[in-house]
Amino acid sequence: MNTIKKNIPNSITCLNILAGVLSIICTIKGDSPLWGLKGYEWGYIFIGIAAVADFLDGFCARLLHAYSDMGKELDSLCDLVSFGVAPALAVYTCLESNGDSWVKWLALLIAVAGALRLAKFNVDTRQTENFIGLPIPANAIFWIGYTSLVYAGSTLLSSDWMFAIAVIIESWLMISPVKLFSLKFKTWGWKGNEFRWLLIATAIALVFCMGVSGLMWLIIVYVCYGLFDNARK
């Protein structure tokens, strides 16, 4: 029974990587029809499923007290696929659909920076409650919003130089010394959680008003809230 309980979080983590691989398979289809939607839209959905699994595995590990070194390493490996490689391919495919530009190769930086980010996280004991550098799931969320705007016809965001700037900044943020708060609540009150509650309210407002494209702005707001939070401390 203890063996089963111990492996429940790992089983959920495996759903993370399965969703990540399915996202990659669908993303390759680009804007071609697939199962009633476009390929990249299914790619977004599977990244979302991976994000839910990523949350649930940690939640179950805490609930069941089923922590393990294997679980920690497995979580990072799965996150790299779902939130590093999958969004990198989403950016590459999106750029390729807009023309054969050299900028698409910069998308490889997203996966590389994601790997470095996760490796640093696993050995950095300072990141137990908050983050140093942009969390890799937030990176994936940003690119879902960004590429959805490009597919929707945004001329500004689809330009080579804007893509290059966005890729470089996002990749740097993942391995940067910028301190950002996590969404782990110790209490449910307002005090000490001001920016957490503000971020949740902002997420609801942006997605309601802008749909999937609002996710890009959500991550930009998250970074800004993090900087303000650091400034007041």
Side-chain angles (χ1 to χ4, degrees):
M1 188 66 180
N2 286 336
T3 302
I4 295 174
K5 184 174 78 170
K6 186 171 65 175
N7 284 290
I8 288 175
N10 291 343
S11 299
I12 297 172
T13 304
C14 289
L15 294 178
N16 175 349
I17 195 169
L18 285 173
V21 173
L22 284 169
S23 174
I24 291 169
I25 292 170
C26 295
T27 299
I28 292 172
K29 299 291 185 179
D31 57 359
S32 300
L34 181 67
W35 307 326
L37 296 173
K38 294 180 178 179
Y40 71 86
E41 291 174 331
W42 279 112
Y44 297 160
I45 290 170
F46 283 118
I47 287 177
I49 293 172
V52 172
D54 185 48
F55 168 79
L56 289 177
D57 66 4
F59 177 79
C60 287
R62 291 189 294 272
L63 184 66
L64 300 173
H65 302 288
Y67 300 102
S68 68
D69 291 336
M70 176 186 168
K72 181 179 178 181
E73 298 302 325
L74 180 63
D75 185 67
S76 291
L77 292 170
C78 294
D79 283 357
L80 179 58
V81 173
S82 300
F83 310 127
V85 177
L89 183 61
V91 172
Y92 180 94
T93 304
C94 184
L95 275 164
E96 197 168 46
S97 69
N98 281 310
D100 192 18
S101 171
W102 62 271
V103 179
K104 67 184 181 182
W105 296 108
L106 284 179
L108 300 178
L109 285 176
I110 298 170
V112 173
L116 291 170
R117 156 73 194 162
L118 290 167
K120 286 179 64 178
F121 179 80
N122 281 356
V123 298
D124 192 343
T125 56
R126 298 172 296 168
Q127 299 190 58
T128 53
E129 295 182 3
N130 294 303
F131 300 116
I132 299 176
L134 185 71
I136 192 170
N139 163 73
I141 291 170
F142 174 87
W143 288 116
I144 288 174
Y146 191 107
T147 54
S148 70
L149 282 168
V150 174
Y151 280 118
S154 173
T155 304
L156 176 63
L157 295 181
S158 63
S159 65
D160 287 353
W161 65 270
M162 184 58 80
F163 250 119
I165 291 172
V167 168
I168 290 170
I169 290 176
E170 273 291 298
S171 298
W172 176 80
L173 278 172
M174 281 193 282
I175 56 175
S176 72
V178 175
K179 294 181 180 179
L180 298 169
F181 59 87
S182 73
L183 283 178
K184 293 178 181 177
F185 287 84
K186 288 185 176 179
T187 65
W188 297 108
W190 173 260
K191 188 173 182 181
N193 295 314
E194 297 89 344
F195 285 105
R196 292 181 178 88
W197 285 119
L198 280 172
L199 185 65
I200 292 171
T202 302
I204 294 170
L206 285 173
V207 173
F208 180 79
C209 295
M210 302 179 67
V212 175
S213 60
L215 296 176
M216 180 190 78
W217 295 107
L218 174 63
I219 301 306
I220 293 173
V221 169
Y222 170 51
V223 173
C224 291
Y225 281 169
L227 295 175
F228 286 135
D229 190 31
N230 290 329
R232 71 171 187 158
K233 291 179 179 178

